[in-house]
Amino acid sequence: MFESVNNIEGYDIDFFNKKNVYELQEFINESWREGHILSRNIDLLDWQYFDKRENRYNFVYARSQNTNLIDGIFGFIPTYHFDPNLNENRELWGAIWQIEKKRVNVKGLGSVLYKYVFDTIHPKTFANLGISQIAQDIYKRWGFAVSIFSQYYIPNYKTREFKIANFNTINAVNVVNNNVTIEEIYSLDSVNINLRNTYPVKSYEYFNNRYKNHPFYKYHFFMLINQGIQQYVLVTRVNKANDAKAMRIVDIIGEFNGLNIIQPIQKILDSYDCEYIDCLNFGISKTIFVSAGFAERNENDLNIVPHYFEPFIRQNIDIGAAVLAPAEYLAFKGDSDQDRPNM
């Protein structure tokens, strides 16, 4: 993939550490986005990116030997950040990748940062989520599978006025009377579900540290049970905007199997007073979501199911994804840095 990428003279490439992390925050503020939360909230930066075992941040930099300034950064999040036992899997998500464009005109500097991470960690899988069209074109040239996240939703059929979503049309629902129930659970200790045999590999320790122990967000866990047998767990978070709420599925523990869940989902939406529930996903068949009772938002959809809440933007947003993996790969909104505080 990086056969044509060569090291560039005049630059030192290394990982940020506690002594120079202020330079990372300054670069993010000045060269990525002014006022970005990672530039001003060291607690969030440490929680999401500081590797205690290696005593370094999961951010690499390119420092000019001439000016001593940081001219580029590349960040990543490994699954083992949330469970050290996943270390041997070496699965990474890309994060902020930026070159200082105002003063730097060095072709290939961003690729060198990428190559440094790959040469250092040798990842088994790598995915970058929420990428621009320019980034998608780069990843295509590098041999990544590039696509757009699918978005599926179920409206709350009792909602009379939608303040977050805009449902111009709501399709007729095929409600299935079955033995499926959904129960909110407050601990994963009682969960006895086989985890997915797909990439990226996750563990119960991962789910606990990524979601249950999140220092800033509160996540809700809902277990689906069919005829007394645990099926899977929906990991969700409630978003607020315009004096209204929406529930978003950010991950799924176990195998999402398409059992119709419209009736129990309506009870959850009622109890949390949410307009709808939605799920961004890469890798699960549309057939399974439709069987479960979800509708798909597509590019010709007259309905608006917002993605951005911090700040809130009432429009449909397509989220790009680039994946490099040896086998089946699933991605959700909770992966990488797609579900973190932004304000």
Side-chain angles (χ1 to χ4, degrees):
M1 179 174 63
F2 294 111
E3 290 82 359
S4 61
V5 176
N6 298 313
N7 292 329
I8 296 177
E9 293 184 1
Y11 280 94
D12 295 322
I13 313 294
D14 205 349
F15 287 85
F16 284 98
N17 55 48
K18 286 288 188 179
K19 292 182 179 180
N20 61 13
V21 66
Y22 70 94
E23 292 182 282
L24 170 60
Q25 292 189 288
E26 288 177 354
F27 185 93
I28 291 173
N29 183 65
E30 296 171 2
S31 302
W32 177 250
R33 188 179 306 142
E34 184 178 2
H36 191 281
I37 192 167
L38 293 179
S39 72
R40 53 187 170 82
N41 190 324
I42 191 64
D43 292 333
L44 178 60
L45 183 62
D46 283 354
W47 180 80
Q48 193 143 43
Y49 290 101
F50 187 68
D51 187 329
K52 295 180 181 178
R53 184 189 57 184
E54 299 289 346
N55 196 33
R56 68 190 186 194
Y57 287 89
N58 289 322
F59 264 100
V60 297
Y61 62 81
R63 184 188 299 278
S64 170
Q65 295 171 355
N66 294 326
T67 65
N68 201 39
L69 296 175
I70 302 296
D71 283 349
I73 64 172
F74 171 64
F76 62 94
I77 302 172
T79 56
Y80 58 76
H81 185 68
F82 301 105
D83 179 2
N85 292 319
L86 296 175
N87 179 54
E88 64 182 43
N89 294 75
R90 304 185 315 280
E91 300 193 72
L92 310 182
W93 292 295
I96 296 176
W97 179 26
Q98 180 69 15
I99 302 300
E100 171 48 65
K101 299 176 181 178
K102 295 178 182 178
R103 63 173 181 267
V104 178
N105 187 23
V106 180
K107 186 177 181 180
L109 186 58
S111 300
V112 169
L113 291 172
Y114 239 104
K115 184 176 185 295
Y116 184 83
V117 171
F118 270 68
D119 289 347
T120 302
I121 299 179
H122 306 288
K124 182 182 295 184
T125 71
F126 185 90
N128 213 333
L129 314 177
I131 57 175
S132 66
Q133 184 60 56
I134 294 175
Q136 290 179 50
D137 293 340
I138 294 173
Y139 283 116
K140 283 181 182 178
R141 293 199 300 270
W142 285 351
F144 282 67
V146 176
S147 185
I148 300 295
F149 270 83
S150 297
Q151 185 176 18
Y152 303 94
Y153 61 90
I154 297 176
N156 183 339
Y157 294 102
K158 291 184 179 180
T159 300
R160 295 185 177 182
E161 180 185 4
F162 290 95
K163 298 179 180 180
I164 295 178
N166 184 15
F167 292 118
N168 289 294
T169 59
I170 298 180
N171 296 331
V173 180
N174 180 25
V175 177
V176 177
N177 293 318
N178 52 26
N179 294 315
V180 171
T181 60
I182 297 181
E183 300 176 1
E184 183 166 8
I185 58 176
Y186 303 94
S187 169
L188 298 180
D189 294 344
S190 62
V191 180
N192 184 25
I193 295 172
N194 292 328
L195 299 181
R196 296 187 299 268
N197 186 27
T198 56
Y199 292 111
V201 176
K202 298 176 181 177
S203 65
Y204 281 104
E205 184 72 10
Y206 170 93
F207 288 113
N208 271 312
N209 288 327
R210 170 62 183 88
Y211 299 112
K212 188 176 185 299
N213 300 330
H214 198 289
F216 303 98
Y217 279 160
K218 179 178 178 58
Y219 291 92
H220 301 273
F221 300 84
F222 296 97
M223 180 189 291
L224 183 137
I225 300 172
N226 183 36
Q227 297 182 346
I229 300 175
Q230 299 179 9
Q231 301 292 314
Y232 57 80
V233 175
L234 300 176
V235 184
T236 71
R237 188 168 69 83
V238 174
N239 284 201
K240 299 178 181 179
N242 294 344
D243 296 321
K245 293 184 289 186
M247 182 171 287
R248 314 202 67 188
I249 299 169
V250 298
D251 215 327
I252 298 177
I253 302 173
E255 192 73 32
F256 186 56
N257 53 23
L259 288 169
N260 191 283
I261 58 174
I262 286 182
Q263 285 187 324
I265 284 293
Q266 292 301 310
K267 294 179 181 179
I268 293 171
L269 294 176
D270 287 345
S271 65
Y272 276 89
D273 192 26
C274 289
E275 291 186 2
Y276 64 90
I277 189 170
D278 80 323
C279 181
L280 283 173
N281 175 260
F282 174 96
I284 296 179
S285 166
K286 173 183 175 180
T287 302
I288 294 177
F289 275 99
V290 172
S291 177
F294 287 81
E296 182 186 25
R297 182 191 69 77
N298 55 55
E299 59 183 0
N300 299 317
D301 206 328
L302 297 177
N303 295 332
I304 296 176
V305 188
H307 175 65
Y308 291 133
F309 280 78
E310 297 182 30
F312 177 65
I313 302 176
R314 199 184 194 194
Q315 65 184 51
N316 291 328
I317 303 291
D318 288 333
I319 305 300
V323 174
L324 190 68
E328 184 180 4
Y329 193 98
L330 302 185
F332 295 91
K333 186 181 186 300
D335 294 336
S336 186
D337 64 347
Q338 291 299 290
D339 197 53
R340 60 152 170 76
N342 201 42
M343 295 179 65

